[in-house]
Amino acid sequence: MFEGSIPAVITPFDKNEEIDFDSLESHIEFLISEGSHGLVSCGTTGESPTLDHDEHKIVTEFIINKSKGRVPVMAGCGSNSTKESIDFVHHAYKSGAKATLLVTPYYNKPTQKGLYEHFRLIANSCPKIPNYLYNIPGRSVVRLEIDTLKKLSQISNIVGVKDATADLTTPLEVRTNCKESFQQLSGEDATFLSFLISGGVGCISVTANVVPGLIANIYNLWKSKKINEAMSLNFKLYPLNNVLFSETSPSPVKYALSRMGKCLNILRKPMVSIEKETEKKIDVTLKDLNLIK
């Protein structure tokens, strides 16, 4: 169901740090009109840790409603509380999300047995909605090991994984140990094309907020077996992929989008705006891509 370029949608804020729904609606239109293949609500890029529960649900509903079925929406439903995550999953299903994204629990640092039980209970609580696991040890400390992932992939509505390990042997391991239909989505923009070659089917992307058409085209060229053209675009985008992660995301992407007139450069604490030197680097990169003057 989910493949290609899938932007992890930002959550714009106004000067009072309230959700800017006008900018969010415009951004959704931008992402879809540029050829994105799907959207993710309330992920890390959407600053979900600083959204309260009601805001989280409202943003998910808003993105689903404004997408109007043109692309599928995957709802971020992860938490370090199994009970809380189950609540988000049921809401996502009732709201019309086509799948959920479930990050490995952070801070409480569960064992592999704890991870298995966490995801099993969530999946069984709402069996009609597909679930994608999110393996990102750089943020959540714990890593979803291959043996655990193999067991989880046998649960019928756990259908795939977002891999943000940046380890390109991981998709090969997953392809070898899990059923072929188990979908793998990259969570690391710089290795998107390499990830496709290793068995992936798409990317949940930060960079696609800025250049949705270019990221979508990399996938479309890959799908059409135009590998040289895809590689050329990949090299072209590397400086942008690099600079958007030069400080903790989503601070750099928020700044880049503010320079493009897509949102204000406002984040909720403890996230803060990037340093002036990083701003200069982003400005140069955006100018090189003819995104700003």
Side-chain angles (χ1 to χ4, degrees):
M1 183 177 296
F2 285 88
E3 63 177 18
S5 175
I6 310 160
V9 183
I10 63 156
T11 302
F13 298 120
D14 63 22
K15 292 179 180 179
N16 297 316
E17 295 189 13
E18 298 297 325
I19 298 166
D20 180 353
F21 287 102
D22 289 339
S23 293
L24 180 55
E25 181 173 6
S26 296
H27 193 57
I28 292 165
E29 291 302 316
F30 171 60
L31 297 176
I32 294 175
S33 67
E34 288 286 309
S36 298
H37 302 96
L39 301 174
V40 170
S41 70
C42 297
T44 309
T45 311
E47 297 181 64
S48 59
T50 57
L51 299 178
D52 66 35
H53 288 192
D54 288 339
E55 289 174 326
H56 186 121
K57 292 175 179 179
I58 289 168
V59 168
T60 290
E61 290 173 12
F62 189 86
I63 293 175
I64 291 168
N65 292 336
K66 295 302 177 180
S67 297
K68 299 176 183 176
R70 290 170 290 173
V71 296
V73 176
M74 182 187 299
C77 293
S79 172
N80 59 351
S81 162
T82 305
K83 182 179 179 180
E84 182 177 288
S85 194
I86 287 171
D87 178 55
F88 283 142
V89 167
H90 280 265
H91 171 265
Y93 175 66
K94 291 175 184 176
S95 300
K98 297 303 181 184
T100 75
L101 183 63
L102 305 172
V103 72
T104 46
Y106 40 87
Y107 184 72
N108 41 13
K109 203 175 180 180
T111 63
Q112 294 299 304
K113 181 179 179 182
L115 290 174
Y116 176 80
E117 285 299 309
H118 173 77
F119 291 124
R120 181 187 68 82
L121 287 168
I122 295 169
N124 288 344
S125 77
C126 192
K128 291 185 178 180
I129 192 166
N131 299 284
Y132 289 78
L133 310 180
Y134 184 7
N135 196 12
I136 183 167
R139 281 188 183 263
S140 61
V141 182
V142 294
R143 183 186 182 106
L144 196 54
E145 301 293 349
I146 191 65
D147 288 343
T148 308
L149 192 58
K150 181 178 180 180
K151 285 173 61 181
L152 287 166
S153 71
Q154 294 167 10
I155 297 172
S156 62
N157 62 328
I158 294 180
V159 300
V161 63
K162 175 185 176 183
D163 186 308
T165 64
D167 179 354
L168 289 172
T169 64
T170 300
L172 298 170
E173 281 286 313
V174 173
R175 180 66 178 267
T176 300
N177 287 279
C178 300
K179 55 191 177 184
E180 191 171 337
S181 61
F182 191 71
Q183 290 191 315
Q184 299 189 72
L185 301 169
S186 172
E188 216 278 320
D189 279 287
T191 59
F192 176 27
L193 185 57
S194 302
F195 193 87
L196 291 174
I197 293 169
S198 297
V201 297
C203 182
I204 296 176
S205 170
V206 175
T207 306
N209 280 282
V210 179
V211 284
L214 291 178
I215 304 293
N217 205 20
I218 287 178
Y219 178 77
N220 294 336
L221 289 167
W222 156 258
K223 194 79 171 176
S224 300
K225 303 188 186 304
K226 297 179 180 178
I227 307 303
N228 289 336
E229 291 95 327
M231 288 176 63
S232 178
L233 270 187
N234 197 44
F235 283 122
K236 180 180 180 180
L237 282 176
Y238 177 71
L240 181 61
N241 285 329
N242 191 40
V243 77
L244 289 181
F245 291 92
S246 55
E247 292 189 34
T248 303
S249 185
S251 296
V253 73
K254 268 280 181 81
Y255 173 76
L257 289 169
S258 74
R259 293 286 286 115
M260 294 167 63
K262 302 294 184 184
C263 68
L264 297 178
N265 183 32
I266 294 175
L267 304 103
R268 284 183 175 175
K269 304 298 182 293
M271 301 305 297
V272 295
S273 299
I274 56 176
E275 301 292 337
K276 293 297 181 183
E277 284 303 310
T278 307
E279 288 184 0
K280 293 176 184 177
K281 292 176 183 177
I282 290 176
D283 286 347
V284 169
T285 306
L286 295 178
K287 287 176 183 176
D288 287 344
L289 292 169
N290 296 315
L291 296 172
I292 61 172
K293 293 182 180 180

